[in-house]
Amino acid sequence: MKFLLFFRNIAFFLLLSGVAFGQIKLKTTLDADGVTYKVFAISAQTFTGLNSLISTSQITIVVPHGSGSDYFQLSNISSPVVNMRWTLSARTDAPPENPDYDYLFFSFTNNAFPFVRFNIDANREILLFTFKRTSPCNGKLYAFDNQTDPFRFPNSAGINSGNSLSVLAVGGDVYRGNTEVLPLVNLTLDTPTPCAGAEIIFTASPTISGNYEYQWYVDEKPQGSPQRSTTFKYELPKNELDYQTIISVKLIESGATKCDTYTARTTIKLLVKALPEAKIAFTGTDCVVLPVMISVKSDASIQYQWQENGADISAEKKNTLEVVKSGSYAVKMTKNGCANLSNIQKIVGISLQEKIMVNAGQDMTIVAGQSIKLTGEATNATYYNWSPAQDLSNPKIAQPMARPTETTEYTLTVTNEIGCPTSDAVVVKVLPTLFIPTAFSPNDDGQNDEWKIENINFFPEATIEVYNRWGNTIFFSEGYKILWDGKNAPQAAYNYIIRTKYKTYKGFIELLR
């Protein structure tokens, strides 16, 4: 009968909900012990009797995010109100909307008889519940604000993240904010749709004036240390494709203790427009016989403006340019409002008779330890320079002697009196020298049974001839594909001649039994 009467009263007061309108704010405090937090409700009007019954509630507390030993932990959730049992019903850590904080959801449901009921006096602090922090203090704890918190619904977790207090007299939620209004930070930029490579100025604006510092981030990476200035200049990276960058600013309010330190962050996801690819295609040298054609990538959506020595050439607005006189040339390319200036191409005009010709010579092969003359030659050249200069007798002449220890590409660059360069290259291949044993013993003991000539494989055209003291040839091979085993020859000393394209080797080999 008591239950029936109670729910009839609920229905009656719901009908009266349009008459009464409650406003309850939340307040959080930290005791002097530095670990005990209290959550209060303060009503703008008085509710007594059944009018004051709180049916359901959720209070969200926002705590600094931490990891490891700094992860926010709590215990001893309790209420001074008899039978009012609050529980930590859920938690969301570092959501993308506010990665500096974790969200703790405390709930109370008044669904067990006898129902929890107490008078709600206007403008009186009513302690709803307390809890203790068991982890280190990383900053200020505060009550969620349904209107301004970055994690308010709708959010990435798809949950109702806000506060609610349902009072019977009102027939619904009476939460209307918090007694403490905390500063937030707004973020603006001077160019809403910037181009790659542009310098952007970002401005942070706190919602409440105060003595703050600001930490700036680009794609989650901090940019220097916190600063007092509310502006941040950033040069966007150049890119030939559209891209997105994330700019964040964190407002930092320092307090007397670490538990009083408060931060608020705002993020802008910025779409950056690409720059057109601006690279002049020109394969010749700077000094050419004029006229000569230079060009850049052709694209119908791009506007072109060629420049000569830094000044616009009014009539040249195509992707190609015929150069008829010496100068420094570039082109400004604009696409979707984004302009990019190409590399500067220097052009020095010379006559056909002044054209420089250079030939570094044919590629050559030597055996390690040998020297060879480089056969460079040029016309209309005044200065010569070989690179690398190491192992050259004189890198400043046309035909120096080279003694490289390994295969090397030498580049010959020649210039005329006005500094026009032209280059050509030659490769000197270095083959290893032969290692020729002076004895071997074909006695089938598995050691030195054949005359093995090390590195002979590098000389496939080589001929190997062995002859006795009377001058008779007893062994001959081209390429040394079959090794001499000496089985049909008596123990003696034999002469040999090994001829390669690059060197001839002569000596004695002793056959031992």
Side-chain angles (χ1 to χ4, degrees):
M1 185 67 182
K2 291 181 178 179
F3 281 93
L4 181 60
L5 177 61
F6 176 75
F7 285 110
R8 283 176 178 174
N9 287 334
I10 289 179
F12 173 75
F13 284 111
L14 287 175
L15 291 174
L16 297 179
S17 62
V19 177
F21 181 78
Q23 291 187 6
I24 291 181
K25 292 186 177 182
L26 297 177
K27 177 182 178 180
T28 59
T29 64
L30 175 61
D31 279 0
D33 63 4
V35 295
T36 302
Y37 294 91
K38 294 179 179 179
V39 180
F40 298 88
I42 304 173
S43 177
Q45 67 183 84
T46 298
F47 300 101
T48 60
L50 281 176
N51 288 346
S52 66
L53 188 145
I54 299 175
S55 56
T56 60
S57 60
Q58 174 179 285
I59 293 179
T60 304
I61 300 298
V62 188
V63 303
H65 176 65
S67 59
S69 61
D70 289 334
Y71 186 70
F72 192 95
Q73 302 279 9
L74 60 91
S75 66
N76 299 93
I77 304 173
S78 62
S79 173
V81 181
V82 177
N83 293 328
M84 192 177 214
R85 296 181 176 85
W86 290 84
T87 61
L88 180 62
S89 56
R91 177 173 186 154
T92 298
D93 293 339
E97 293 90 341
N98 196 11
D100 300 319
Y101 285 92
D102 299 339
Y103 290 77
L104 310 181
F105 303 100
F106 296 87
S107 61
F108 163 68
T109 302
N110 202 358
N111 61 358
F113 192 82
F115 298 104
V116 177
R117 189 172 75 237
F118 53 89
N119 289 339
I120 300 175
D121 299 326
N123 302 316
R124 178 174 68 88
E125 293 184 357
I126 300 171
L127 179 58
L128 297 178
F129 64 94
T130 69
F131 61 89
K132 292 183 180 294
R133 188 191 72 252
T134 59
S135 55
C137 191
N138 290 325
K140 187 180 183 65
L141 173 153
Y142 59 91
F144 186 96
D145 190 306
N146 289 10
Q147 301 301 316
T148 62
D149 195 279
F151 193 50
R152 64 188 181 274
F153 187 83
N155 51 51
S156 59
I159 60 174
N160 177 16
S161 52
N163 298 319
S164 64
L165 288 164
S166 296
V167 175
L168 184 61
V170 178
D173 183 19
V174 294
Y175 169 75
R176 292 298 179 269
N178 304 322
T179 59
E180 181 181 27
V181 180
L182 295 170
L184 300 175
V185 60
N186 297 315
L187 182 57
T188 57
L189 66 161
D190 61 347
T191 308
T193 55
C195 301
E199 183 180 75
I200 305 299
I201 299 177
F202 297 89
T203 303
S205 304
T207 56
I208 302 174
S209 61
N211 187 23
Y212 309 122
E213 289 187 312
Y214 300 90
Q215 176 64 65
W216 295 90
Y217 300 84
V218 176
D219 295 328
E220 301 302 324
K221 295 180 181 178
Q223 304 297 299
S225 56
Q227 56 181 302
R228 295 288 181 186
S229 174
T230 58
T231 59
F232 169 60
K233 291 183 180 180
Y234 179 64
E235 185 175 325
L236 295 167
K238 291 185 176 182
N239 203 310
E240 293 169 0
L241 294 173
D242 292 344
Y243 67 92
Q244 179 178 275
T245 191
I246 300 174
I247 308 295
S248 303
V249 62
K250 182 193 291 184
L251 174 149
I252 304 171
E253 183 180 34
S254 299
T257 68
K258 193 170 184 180
C259 288
D260 298 318
T261 299
Y262 165 79
T263 66
R265 184 194 289 235
T266 297
T267 296
I268 290 179
K269 293 182 178 179
L270 193 61
L271 179 61
V272 182
K273 294 187 293 184
L275 295 178
E277 181 183 350
K279 184 178 181 181
I280 294 177
F282 182 65
T283 57
T285 62
D286 292 352
C287 301
V288 294
V289 177
L290 299 178
V292 68
M293 190 70 71
I294 58 177
S295 65
V296 289
K297 179 182 179 181
S298 176
D299 188 329
S301 63
I302 293 178
Q303 294 82 49
Y304 303 90
Q305 177 58 68
W306 285 94
Q307 298 177 353
E308 178 187 358
N309 300 325
D312 290 351
I313 309 173
S314 59
E316 298 296 343
K317 299 181 182 298
K318 298 180 180 179
N319 72 302
T320 60
L321 175 69
E322 184 181 48
V323 178
V324 296
K325 63 179 179 178
S326 299
S328 295
Y329 294 88
V331 59
K332 183 171 72 173
M333 302 169 63
T334 304
K335 182 176 183 178
N336 297 326
C338 296
N340 195 15
L341 186 65
S342 73
N343 58 301
I344 296 175
Q345 179 63 57
K346 181 181 178 182
I347 299 292
V348 177
I350 58 176
S351 67
L352 187 60
Q353 292 74 24
E354 295 172 323
K355 187 174 182 180
I356 304 173
M357 304 293 291
V358 63
N359 183 0
Q362 297 295 318
D363 293 345
M364 297 176 283
T365 302
I366 62 172
V367 176
Q370 289 183 326
S371 297
I372 196 167
K373 179 184 284 189
L374 301 181
T375 58
E377 56 184 11
T379 58
N380 296 320
T382 305
Y383 305 102
Y384 296 80
N385 185 61
W386 287 94
S387 178
Q390 184 181 357
D391 302 320
L392 297 181
S393 61
N394 185 349
K396 302 297 184 181
I397 62 176
Q399 298 186 350
M401 294 299 297
R403 192 183 178 90
T405 57
E406 60 183 0
T407 298
T408 304
E409 181 180 77
Y410 293 99
T411 300
L412 173 59
T413 301
V414 299
T415 56
N416 61 9
E417 288 290 351
I418 60 175
C420 293
T422 304
S423 300
D424 192 31
V426 63
V427 174
V428 178
K429 184 177 182 180
V430 179
L431 298 176
T433 189
L434 296 182
F435 175 73
I436 306 170
T438 57
F440 75 108
S441 57
N443 56 8
D444 295 327
D445 64 353
Q447 297 182 355
N448 299 319
D449 288 331
E450 297 173 317
W451 188 34
K452 295 181 179 179
I453 304 172
E454 190 174 341
N455 294 327
I456 192 68
N457 56 297
F458 288 95
F459 306 90
E461 80 296 338
T463 60
I464 298 89
E465 183 178 359
V466 179
Y467 55 95
N468 58 23
R469 59 180 176 174
W470 296 287
N472 298 321
T473 299
I474 63 170
F475 177 81
F476 178 84
S477 175
E478 185 173 347
Y480 207 47
K481 298 174 184 176
I482 300 176
L483 278 59
W484 183 39
D485 58 16
K487 289 185 177 180
N488 297 323
Q491 177 172 312
Y494 296 89
N495 295 310
Y496 67 81
I497 298 178
I498 302 175
R499 295 182 175 88
T500 71
K501 288 170 57 175
Y502 315 103
K503 186 176 180 180
T504 297
Y505 301 81
K506 295 181 180 181
F508 295 92
I509 176 67
E510 189 171 359
L511 190 153
L512 304 174
R513 292 295 183 183

